[in-house]
Each structure stands twice: as C-alpha cells, then as structure tokens.
C-alpha cells in the first residue's frame, strides 16, 4: 500500500530539541525510535577506528608514565581498557541494521553504559596515576584526554549522548586533578573545553539528524513516487519509456512493451524509431510526424504532447509522446525519459469533428465553412499574383416540389445525385460545395477569362437539367447560377459571396435556368426590391389593391360569358406597380396567400352583381394550392358572398404540377367536388403533359396568345398545336379559350380552328367593376329598346 504524504510528514519530526537529540526524551511528534536507529547505526561503521584511536592514546599514556608508574600497573590499566573497548565494540556491531529499524530504549541504555565505562577507565590515569607524575607529564595526560574528547565529538557526532557523557567523565577527572594541585587556571580551561565540546557535539548531532530527516523525507517521497509510477503503469493507459544516447529503448516497461505488441526482452536495445515505424524503417519513407520526433531526439530537445503516427503489425495508431533529455552527475547527456499514450480514438474523433466542421454529411461535399476558407485563399492568391478568381452560387429550380411531393428522403437522394454531377465537372483547383438546402457553390481559381466562368455556369445548368432516376421516380430539376469575380466584384470574401447571391437572385427573378453575372446595378435592384417588399406587406391593410375584369366571350354569339379577375396594385409609396413585378415577389415571400384570399373574396362579391349566368375566373398561385387551408378559403368566400360554386372558375398553370403535383391535384379535386370549375392556363407553353388532363377533368383549357398570334400568321406549328388542343378538349368534354385575340384576323382564325371562347383586347381590355357591370346594363337597355 502506498504511504500518503500526510503519513510521511508525521513520521519525521519538525523540530529537534537538545534533550531529544541527546536521547533523553522522545517528543510526541515524529518517529524518534526510527531516528535513534539512524543515529546509532553509525557506531558500527566506526568501531575499528574507535579501537585504533583508543589504542594509540593508551600507548601514549604508557609512554608518558612509564618512568613514573610501575609497568605492571600500566599494563593492568591497559588490559582493563581493552576489555571495556571489546565489550563496547561487540555491542556496537549489533547496531549495524539500526538504520532499518527502531532502536529500543534498552539498547540505548547498554550503549550509554559502555561509553560511561570507557570514560571511567580513562579517568584512572588522571586521577590515580598523575600523583606520581610531574607537572609536564600531567599536562601531556590532559592533552591526550582532550584529543580523545575532540575525536569523540567529531567522529561520533551522530550520538551526542556518548560524547557528552565521555567528555563529562574524563573532563571532570582533569578538572579535579588541576584543582587538587591548585592550578585553577588549568581547571577553568578544562571546564570551558568540556562545555564547548558538549555543546558542539549536540549541535553537530542536530545538524546530522537534520540531514538524515531530509534524506528520509526524500527517500519517502521517492518511494511514494515509485509506488505511484508502478500503480500508474499497472492501471493507466499511459506508459513510461526511455532511450539511451543511441536512441535505443532501455528499461522497457511492461505497458510500453504491451503498447508495442512485443515482449519487453524483445524490445530492449532496439532503436525507438524502428519499433514504431513499421515497414517505413526498411523503405525510408517515414510519416512526417516520425521525422518531427527524430529531429527532436537528434537535437536533444524536450517535447510535450507530440502526436506521432506509429505502425504496429500493419496497423496505424496515433501516439502522444512527451519526454525530456536526462543527464548524469557530470551533466553528460545519457538519453531521454518520457511518457506516452495511445490517442488513436481521440485522434479519430478529432478528425471526425474536423471533417464534420468542413464537409456536408449528406453529400460529402465541402460545406459553407470550407468554401469560405477556399475562397479566401483564392482571393489572397489572386491579389498576390495579379489574377482573378470567381464564386458561383447555384440554386436548384423546382427542388421544393420534390421535397414536398415525395418526401425528404427522396429529396436527400436527389441532392446526393446533384453533388455527383457537380463533382464530375470539377478539374484542377476548382472546388464545389454545398451551402445548405438546395444551394451549392463553386470556387474557381486563376480565372483570367470571364468566358471560363460562363462556360462553367452553362455546364452546371446543362448537367443538372437532365432527368434523375431516384427510387423509381423520374425527376426534373433545373439550376440557376449567379457569379461574381474577385477582386473585381468584391475585395472581401463576404462581399464577393453577397454579390454572387445578388446575381443568383436576378437569375431566379428572370425565370431560372440561366446564368447571371454580378453587376453594380444589382445592388440598386436589391434595394428597390426590399422597399417594394416592405410596401407590399402593408398594401392589404392600406387598401392599395384593386381588381380589374377582362371579359371572355362566346366565339359564335360574341356575348360575354365570364370575366377573369386581374389584380392591380397602386402603391402609395411607388405608384402603380405592374403585376409582372409584384406577383413573383408576393410568391417568394408567401404574401400571395393572404393577397390571393382577398382577391377570391372580392371577386366572388363582385360576381354576385352580375347576371346569374356570368362566371368569374380567379388566378391561383402554386403557393396558394400548397396551403392546406385553401379549399376551406374557397368555401368561406362562396359562403360569404352567396355565389353559387358553378359560377367560380379557378385558373392554374401547368407549373404547379411540376412543383408539387400530388398536393395540387388533391386540392383541386376538393375544389371541383364543390362544383367549381378549374381552368388550365397557358397550356402548351411550359411542361405540357397529357397526364394532367387524364388525372383532372378541367372545365377549360386556355390556349396561350403566342399560339393565337402564330396561327393568325399561318405558322404551321401553332396551327397544329391549336387543332390538337381543341380536338383533345372536345374529346374530353372540355371547353377551350383562346387568349390574346386582338384583331379580326385572329378572331376568324380561332373560329375556324374550333375554339369555344375568346379573350383579348379585341372584345375588351381589363376594366374596373363599374365598367364591367355597365356592360350588362347596356345590354339590358338595348334589349328593352328592341322590344
């Protein structure tokens, strides 16, 4: 079990009082039994030296007193000294392992007694033999004693109790002798010497113990670190590694070997780069991260969190390595030691996050962020090399119809097919991506010819206009493209993208399926459109809308049979606005839904003022048909006005079936079930399909004025189309109306071709409600006059 830092701190004392250093007390703080072991273990190491010192001192005593004291007495004293020293030496030898255990109080007593006995033996020459010696001999004896006391203080600084006890016993014998002979000065000097030696030995012992406490603390910490590292190796995902000056693995840890998939003995001594490079070691084609690692090892630099791609048994992994160079005591480089971990999963997660941040998950194309970054780089290159770049914005035409009709799953698959076609058009440094929804973009670099931009735009339109086969559905979508060239059309990425968007908007505004380049006037157009939209949002509440009515007459009797309601807007801010301008804007902003409801209710109310056989036709936008409450709106308008359903005819164009055929068909079927008629306007000009006529029984098919004018000029195609439409309508029991009849020749041509009804300036321009109502009053007046 690992010893905690708190436990280590409590085992070592914070203070070293004198009595505790002497061994006379054991304070509560700290493990003093362990410190005693550190103190007394030094005795065993100096036993021989102590024996030698005492022996030499004894010889000096014998030499000094041999002429004054009997040789037998001296030999007897020497024998006694040897016996005491042997007793003490044997006991001191038993203290060799004291630094690894705790000293008992009894052992301390034994050692103290041994020291005291030695001191008492050394008092004999001074107390008993000096009376037979001269003053000079006594001085020599005292000098020998001071040598012993000094040697004890120096050599046995770790055990101050023995030094103090020995010095006190021997010193007192000298002091007593000097006093006996009346040499008070010598006695004072001896007393001072004993005190200094005693204090010095205590302080020396304190210093010694302080160093031992510090060493023990370091050892404790080293042990804790060792245990923590062992636990780290055993339980964590990281591992320790080290290499020598030749960059070969040394002291391979089990976890490092496990990470390599090898046995430790097979790894030790092999070059680190070889262990992690895989086949690259033989070919020399290293991953850039391995080059970075090798370079740092070569320059002997510390590094942290260095990502390295390793190849182990054919599998690529990512390691995160940190290491520092290590040196020996002489500051010589001896290798590296560090820590490593396998971060493959984290790296893959990071790569995935980075991919998701820059790529569209549905199509796999670069997303807005990456397109923006690429465009920024292209603009920097264009500025640096005096070239140009281009940004093309692409919007899919009629994509919303696919989403609304067939669901988002089919829509997503269609977007994937679109992305494939766009990718096939790219070459070199060109980049295409998805901005979001059904919007895509292309970045072209090094554009020196605007013709290249137009060619790319036209290629996109052509490629995306071909039919798509998705889940057994044949889908048709087109593309509109707006482009801007940098830095001519914008010096920043944001400006260039905004200007390309303005160009795209112009392309959509002009019917789609075409490419428009940015022009400075587009800003004015966009601002004008913004102001127009603001005014349009307030037009209803300000009663700025009105309806005009254009008569539709029977081709034979030339009598009015219905009126088509035509919306007009006289803005208080902008004056009269053409429907060509505000109707597309109302559709884009979905304001056409409330505006269309107002038109429907107003037309029904006005129709109630006409004769009962006169119908009213109301144009309905695709946005209105997608409104789930449109059928309820028709019912409400009929109910509020009291107009019979058969007098209301809803006019729609073919484009609504391309956008969302299923929803449009269901809505129109509900309206027809009420008894209302449904007219198909502009038939033959757009997406004509007999399938529409098979699914819905239209009350009227309206022939576009372009065919009428062509037929009047004997254009074979126009004549054939009108004949075919009339024949088909007759077969399906539908009526036909020719639009845009403006001359007698056109009227006769239409009569000859078999159309049932005629609408155009020849019979009447759009008129205000009062004028339309006046037609019937005039007819009534003429009838009364004829009667």
């Amino acid at each position: 079990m690992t010893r905690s830092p708190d436990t280590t701190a409590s085992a070592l004392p914070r203070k070293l009082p004198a009595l505790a250093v002497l061994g006379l007390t054991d304070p509560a703080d700290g493990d003093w039994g362990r410190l005693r072991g550190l103190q007394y273990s030094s005795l065993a190491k100096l036993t021989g030296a102590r024996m030698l010192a005492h022996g030499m001192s004894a010889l000096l005593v014998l030499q000094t007193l041999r002429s004054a004291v009997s040789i037998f007495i001296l030999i007897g004293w020497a024998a006694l000294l040897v016996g005491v020293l042997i007793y003490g030496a044997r006991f001191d030898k038993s203290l060799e392992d004291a630094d690894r255990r705790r000293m008992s109080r009894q052992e301390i007593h034994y050692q103290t007694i041994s020291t005291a006995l030695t001191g008492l033996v050394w008092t004999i020459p001074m107390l008993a033999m000096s009376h037979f010696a001269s003053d000079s001999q006594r001085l020599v004896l005292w000098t020998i004693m001071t040598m012993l006391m000094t040697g004890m203080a120096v050599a046995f600084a770790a055990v101050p109790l023995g030094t103090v006890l020995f010095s006190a016993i021997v010193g007192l014998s000298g002091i007593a002798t000097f006093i006996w002979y009346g040499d008070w000065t010598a006695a004072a000097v001896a007393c001072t010497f004993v005190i200094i030696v005693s204090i010095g030995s205590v302080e020396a012992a304190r210093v010694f113990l302080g160093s031992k406490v510090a060493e023990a603390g370091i050892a404790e910490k080293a042990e804790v670190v060792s245990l923590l590292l062992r636990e780290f190796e055993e339980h964590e995902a990281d591992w320790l590694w080290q290499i020598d000056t030749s960059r070969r693995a040394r002291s391979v840890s089990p976890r490092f070997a496990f990470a390599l998939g090898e046995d430790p003995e097979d790894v030790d001594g092999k070059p680190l780069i070889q262990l992690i490079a895989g086949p690259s070691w033989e070919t020399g084609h290293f991953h850039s991260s391995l080059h970075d690692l090798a370079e740092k090892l070569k320059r002997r630099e510390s590094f942290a969190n260095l990502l390295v791609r390793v190849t182990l048994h054919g599998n690529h992994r990512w390691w995160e390595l940190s290491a520092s160079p290590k040196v020996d005591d002489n500051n010589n480089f001896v290798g590296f030691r560090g820590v490593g971990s396998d971060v493959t999963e984290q790296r893959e997660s990071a790569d995935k996050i980075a991919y998701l941040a820059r790529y569209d998950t549905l199509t796999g194309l670069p997303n807005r962020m990456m397109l923006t970054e690429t465009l920024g780089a292209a603009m920097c290159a264009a500025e640096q090399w005096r070239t140009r770049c281009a940004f093309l914005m692409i919007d899919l035409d009629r994509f919303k119809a696919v989403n609304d009709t067939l669901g988002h799953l089919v829509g997503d698959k269609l977007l994937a097919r679109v992305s494939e076609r766009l990718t096939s058009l790219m070459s070199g440094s060109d980049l295409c991506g998805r901005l979001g929804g059904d919007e895509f973009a292309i970045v072209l670099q090094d554009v020196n010819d605007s013709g290249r931009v137009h060619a790319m735009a036209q290629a996109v339109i052509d490629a995306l206009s071909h039919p798509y086969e998705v889940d057994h559905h044949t889908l048709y979508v087109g593309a509109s493209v707006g482009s801007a060239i940098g830095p001519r059309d914008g010096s920043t990425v944001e400006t260039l993208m905004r200007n390309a968007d303005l160009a795209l908007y112009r392309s959509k505004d002009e019917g789609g399926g075409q490419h428009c380049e940015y022009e400075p006037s587009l800003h004015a157009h966009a601002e004008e459109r913004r102001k127009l939209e603001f005014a349009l949002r307030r037009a209803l509440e300000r009663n700025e809308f009105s309806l005009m009515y254009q008569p539709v007459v029977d081709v034979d009797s030339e009598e009015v049979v219905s009126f088509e309601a035509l919306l007009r807007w006289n803005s208080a801010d902008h004056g009269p606005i053409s429907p060509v301008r505000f109707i597309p804007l109302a559709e884009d902003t979905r304001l056409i839904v409330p505006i269309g409801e107002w038109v429907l209710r107003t037309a029904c109310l006005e129709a109630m003022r006409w004769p009962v056989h006169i119908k009213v036709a109301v144009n309905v936008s695709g946005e209105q048909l997608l409104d789930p409450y449109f059928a309820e709106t028709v019912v409400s308008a009929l109910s509020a006005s009291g107009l019979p359903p058969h007098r209301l005819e809803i006019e729609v164009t073919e484009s609504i079936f391309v956008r969302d055929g299923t929803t449009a068909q269901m809505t129109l079927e509900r309206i027809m079930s009420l008894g209302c008629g449904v007219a198909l306007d502009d038939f033959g000009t757009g997406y004509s399909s007999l399938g529409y006529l098979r699914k819905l029984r239209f009350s009227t098919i309206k022939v576009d004025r372009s065919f009428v004018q062509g037929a009047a000029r004997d254009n074979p195609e126009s004549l054939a189309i009108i004949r075919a439409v009339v024949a088909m309508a007759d077969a399906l029991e539908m009526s036909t109306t020719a639009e845009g009849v403006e001359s007698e020749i056109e009227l006769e041509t239409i009569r000859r071709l078999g159309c049932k009804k005629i609408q155009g300036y020849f019979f009447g321009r759009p008129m205000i409600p009062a004028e339309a109502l006046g037609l019937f009053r005039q007819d009534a007046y003429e009838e009364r006059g004829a009667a």
Side-chain angles (χ1 to χ4, degrees):
M1 181 179 296
T2 307
R3 182 178 289 127
S4 68
D6 292 340
T7 304
T8 303
S10 64
L12 300 173
R14 293 181 176 85
K15 296 182 179 180
L16 300 172
L19 293 178
V21 172
L22 288 170
L24 300 178
T25 62
D26 289 336
D29 67 316
D31 188 356
W32 283 93
R34 182 177 169 207
L35 282 179
R36 300 281 179 255
L38 294 174
Q39 283 182 287
Y40 285 87
S41 63
S42 62
L43 294 176
K45 301 174 183 177
L46 297 173
T47 300
R50 184 175 60 192
M51 295 285 286
L52 179 62
H54 281 277
M56 292 178 64
S57 298
L59 290 175
L60 289 175
V61 170
L62 293 176
Q63 177 65 27
T64 303
L65 297 177
R66 64 184 176 85
S67 61
V69 179
S70 171
I71 190 63
F72 296 104
I73 296 174
L74 291 175
I75 292 174
W77 170 80
L80 178 62
L81 179 62
V82 171
V84 172
L85 290 174
I86 291 174
Y87 168 78
R90 291 179 60 186
F91 178 76
D92 290 347
K93 279 292 185 180
S94 66
L95 301 178
E96 284 183 331
D97 63 342
D99 59 341
R100 297 188 295 276
R101 60 182 177 84
R102 286 169 174 79
M103 282 284 290
S104 66
R105 179 58 61 180
Q106 185 179 13
E107 288 178 310
I108 295 174
H109 289 327
Y110 284 153
Q111 206 283 327
T112 303
I113 292 171
S114 172
T115 303
L117 290 174
T118 304
L120 289 173
V121 173
W122 275 104
T123 63
I124 295 174
M126 201 68 184
L127 291 176
M129 299 180 185
S130 64
H131 298 292
F132 306 103
S134 63
D135 291 340
S136 61
Q137 289 176 325
R138 278 194 298 272
L139 183 59
V140 172
L141 283 176
W142 174 247
T143 302
I144 295 171
M145 301 302 172
T146 58
M147 288 172 52
L148 283 173
M149 288 187 285
T150 303
M152 284 284 289
V154 174
F156 301 101
V159 191
L161 181 59
T163 302
V164 171
L165 186 59
F166 181 84
S167 298
I169 294 173
V170 175
L172 285 175
S173 69
I175 294 170
T177 301
F178 290 133
I179 293 174
W180 178 266
Y181 288 101
D183 192 348
W184 295 96
T185 302
V189 171
C191 182
T192 303
F193 178 78
V194 171
I195 293 172
I196 292 174
V197 168
S198 298
I199 294 175
S201 63
V202 171
E203 291 304 316
R206 184 179 279 121
V207 172
F208 172 81
L209 286 178
S211 65
K212 289 298 182 182
V213 167
E215 290 177 6
I218 294 173
E220 289 279 5
K221 292 179 180 178
E223 180 184 359
V224 170
V225 170
S226 178
L227 290 173
L228 288 175
L229 289 175
R230 192 177 303 117
E231 289 184 2
F232 174 80
E233 279 281 313
E234 293 173 355
H235 302 293
E236 296 296 328
D238 295 14
W239 60 81
L240 302 175
W241 61 276
Q242 67 179 54
I243 57 175
D244 58 18
T245 55
S246 300
R247 303 173 209 160
R248 297 177 180 271
R250 298 299 180 189
S251 302
V252 177
S253 65
R255 288 201 60 82
F256 181 40
F258 178 79
L260 291 168
E262 304 285 352
D263 293 327
E265 55 270 18
D266 296 333
V267 174
D268 195 75
K270 288 186 177 180
L272 176 64
I273 301 298
Q274 179 183 358
L275 291 171
I276 61 178
S280 301
W281 180 258
E282 302 295 336
T283 63
H285 301 296
F286 297 105
H287 189 266
S288 59
S289 61
L290 287 175
H291 280 293
D292 294 340
L293 174 61
E295 190 64 24
K296 291 184 180 298
L297 295 178
K298 179 181 178 181
R299 293 200 298 259
R300 301 178 181 178
E301 295 179 352
S302 296
F303 54 89
N305 304 323
L306 178 66
L307 280 176
V308 179
R309 196 190 78 171
V310 303
T311 304
L312 306 173
H313 304 287
N315 297 320
H316 295 307
R317 306 288 296 179
W318 283 96
W319 283 5
E320 188 177 77
L321 300 178
S322 301
S324 298
K326 57 177 184 172
V327 296
D328 59 15
D329 295 337
N330 297 321
N331 206 33
N332 295 319
F333 173 74
V334 294
F336 273 86
R337 179 184 290 119
V339 64
S341 61
D342 191 317
V343 294
T344 305
E345 286 72 21
Q346 297 92 312
R347 171 72 185 218
E348 290 176 349
S349 298
D351 288 346
K352 185 175 182 180
I353 292 172
Y355 176 85
L356 293 176
R358 285 174 169 76
Y359 287 87
D360 177 56
T361 55
L362 175 62
T363 62
L365 294 178
N367 62 9
R368 180 181 291 271
M369 176 185 288
M370 190 168 181
L371 283 168
T372 302
E373 293 176 352
T374 305
L375 180 58
M379 293 192 70
C380 289
E383 183 176 356
Q384 179 180 359
W385 301 107
R386 304 289 183 181
T387 59
R388 291 181 175 182
C389 62
F391 187 71
L392 286 73
M393 291 189 70
I394 305 162
D395 186 86
L396 299 183
D397 300 331
R398 301 180 298 277
F399 175 75
K400 188 176 185 299
V402 176
N403 250 359
D404 295 338
T405 307
L406 302 176
H408 291 284
L409 182 60
V410 173
D412 291 346
K413 291 182 179 180
L414 177 58
L415 289 175
R417 300 287 179 83
V418 168
S419 68
E420 291 173 0
R421 294 189 184 182
L422 285 175
T423 303
S424 67
L425 298 176
M426 299 301 105
S427 61
S429 59
D430 302 341
L431 179 76
C432 68
R434 183 187 178 205
L435 295 173
D438 61 343
E439 286 191 340
F440 296 82
I442 296 175
V443 177
L444 298 180
Q445 301 191 43
D446 195 18
V447 177
N448 295 318
D449 180 12
S450 60
R452 182 188 171 201
V453 178
H454 182 74
M456 175 60 76
Q458 194 58 49
V460 168
I461 294 172
D462 294 342
L464 301 189
S465 298
H466 292 300
Y468 300 83
E469 293 293 332
V470 179
D471 289 351
H472 308 293
H473 298 283
T474 301
L475 306 176
Y476 292 86
V477 293
S480 301
V481 182
S483 66
I485 296 177
R488 183 194 70 186
D489 298 333
S491 58
T492 66
V493 171
E494 294 76 13
T495 303
L496 199 65
M497 293 180 72
R498 183 175 67 249
N499 291 343
D501 193 31
L502 288 175
L504 173 63
Y505 197 86
R506 167 61 68 86
S507 175
K508 299 285 288 186
D509 204 32
E510 293 181 356
Q514 57 185 305
H515 167 229
C516 287
E517 296 181 349
Y518 168 76
E519 299 174 358
S521 61
L522 291 180
H523 279 288
H525 177 74
E527 180 62 19
E528 179 186 357
R529 178 186 172 88
R530 186 191 65 80
K531 292 179 179 179
L532 199 64
E533 179 183 339
F534 180 74
L536 186 61
R537 292 184 181 279
R538 299 187 297 168
L540 268 180
E541 61 185 56
R542 296 167 70 174
N543 292 321
E544 294 178 353
F545 289 119
S546 62
L547 291 182
M548 305 285 281
Y549 299 91
Q550 185 173 23
V552 178
V553 301
D554 182 86
V555 72
D556 295 323
S557 65
E558 298 185 2
E559 293 181 352
V560 176
V561 294
S562 66
F563 285 94
E564 181 180 0
L566 302 172
L567 181 62
R568 297 293 184 264
W569 178 25
N570 187 16
S571 172
D573 300 326
H574 305 280
I577 307 296
S578 168
V580 175
R581 290 181 60 196
F582 76 80
I583 291 297
L585 180 60
E587 290 180 335
D588 288 344
T589 58
R590 286 193 59 80
L591 290 172
I592 195 66
V593 175
I595 293 173
E597 181 177 351
W598 178 87
V599 171
L600 184 63
R601 293 181 182 278
T602 303
C604 288
L605 286 171
E606 185 63 30
M608 285 298 295
R609 303 175 63 192
W610 304 335
V612 296
H613 67 283
I614 303 299
K615 298 181 178 182
V616 63
V618 178
N619 290 285
V620 173
S621 165
E623 292 292 336
Q624 292 175 265
L625 289 179
L626 292 178
D627 181 8
Y629 302 105
F630 180 70
E632 284 75 3
T633 300
V634 173
V635 173
S636 176
L638 293 174
S639 176
S641 63
L643 185 71
H646 71 274
R647 293 185 59 193
L648 175 64
E649 191 171 56
I650 301 296
E651 286 194 12
V652 298
T653 61
E654 296 172 290
S655 61
I656 66 168
F657 297 103
V658 176
R659 176 174 179 181
D660 194 347
T662 304
T663 302
Q665 180 179 339
M666 292 175 60
T667 302
L668 291 176
E669 285 176 347
R670 292 182 63 188
I671 293 173
M672 295 171 106
S673 66
L674 298 174
C676 301
V678 176
L680 183 59
D681 199 6
D682 298 334
F683 184 78
T685 60
Y687 313 98
S688 301
S689 171
L690 298 180
Y692 310 146
L693 305 180
R694 179 176 58 84
K695 294 176 182 178
L696 287 171
R697 292 189 60 81
F698 294 98
S699 58
T700 303
I701 298 178
K702 302 186 76 172
V703 179
D704 188 73
R705 64 187 301 268
S706 60
F707 297 124
V708 173
Q709 293 172 347
R713 295 192 298 269
D714 292 328
N715 180 274
E717 290 80 8
S718 298
L719 290 171
I721 289 174
I722 294 177
R723 287 193 185 99
V725 170
V726 170
M728 178 180 60
D730 290 342
L732 296 174
E733 298 180 355
M734 300 177 185
S735 180
T736 51
T737 299
E739 295 181 294
V741 176
E742 299 179 356
S743 65
E744 184 73 30
I745 296 176
E746 291 176 349
L747 173 61
E748 294 302 324
T749 301
I750 291 303
R751 279 177 175 165
R752 186 174 70 253
L753 292 174
C755 285
K756 300 294 191 295
K757 292 178 287 185
I758 298 174
Q759 179 180 354
Y761 286 178
F762 185 77
F763 288 102
R765 293 174 177 271
M767 56 191 70
I768 62 175
E771 292 176 347
L773 184 60
L775 292 178
F776 303 117
R777 289 175 178 173
Q778 182 179 355
D779 290 344
Y781 177 79
E782 291 176 352
E783 289 177 2
R784 283 196 299 271

